[in-house]
Amino acid sequence: MQMKPLEETIAGVLGIEFVEVGPDKVRATMPVHAATHQPFGQLHGGASVVLAESVASVGTWQLIDQENEIAVGLEINANHLRGKQEGLVTAIGTPLHKGRTTMVWDIKIVDEEEKLICVSRCTVAIVKKKKQ
């Protein structure tokens, strides 16, 4: 299975950009603007969760056998600690567990001043691709 171009996914719609993808850290940014706002003009918690799961999924994907496996979100939680109305947030994901069938990631979302906006933990399942 080939990865879709990011602009054709929810990451593209929200403006998520991956700035670092390594075996022990993934960093991605997301603008805080109309597409990521809730009705009162604040960063939507769901947008933060999309950012966090995107970081965990891409981090897992780059660590697996991409010819025979896919990475899919299994569980995610998030604590939204501070509001944000505009600017840019950055998610920094680090793996807590790199297993054969699951990986668990710790994701911290911060603003431009490194203030914590959201903390999240995401479990990603590693699933064998179905043979066509």
Side-chain angles (χ1 to χ4, degrees):
M1 177 183 298
Q2 189 170 343
M3 186 185 292
K4 291 180 77 167
L6 282 181
E7 61 272 5
E8 295 179 14
T9 70
I10 192 167
V13 170
L14 297 182
I16 295 171
E17 292 185 18
F18 290 87
V19 294
E20 179 182 353
V21 178
D24 293 311
K25 186 192 306 186
V26 176
R27 285 184 344 116
T29 61
M30 182 177 71
V32 180
H33 58 4
T36 59
H37 279 166
Q38 42 93 306
F40 302 103
Q42 295 286 325
L43 176 60
H44 195 293
S48 294
V49 170
V50 169
L51 176 60
E53 186 167 332
S54 297
V55 163
S57 293
V58 167
T60 299
W61 179 79
Q62 59 94 29
L63 291 169
I64 63 175
D65 174 4
Q66 297 168 9
E67 291 292 318
N68 297 303
E69 299 172 321
I70 60 172
V72 295
L74 182 64
E75 186 275 339
I76 190 165
N77 68 41
N79 294 96
H80 308 290
L81 306 173
R82 176 177 279 113
K84 185 149 178 71
Q85 294 179 319
E86 59 185 21
L88 192 73
V89 291
T90 300
I92 303 103
T94 56
L96 299 172
H97 167 73
K98 297 181 197 177
R100 279 185 309 103
T101 59
T102 61
M103 293 193 191
V104 179
W105 289 77
D106 175 67
I107 304 100
K108 292 180 174 55
I109 299 175
V110 298
D111 67 10
E112 301 90 342
E113 298 172 353
E114 302 288 320
K115 290 182 181 173
L116 199 54
I117 302 296
C118 176
V119 294
S120 180
R121 188 185 67 238
C122 183
T123 303
V124 181
I126 302 163
V127 180
K128 297 287 183 199
K129 289 183 182 179
K130 294 182 180 174
K131 300 292 180 187
Q132 299 278 351

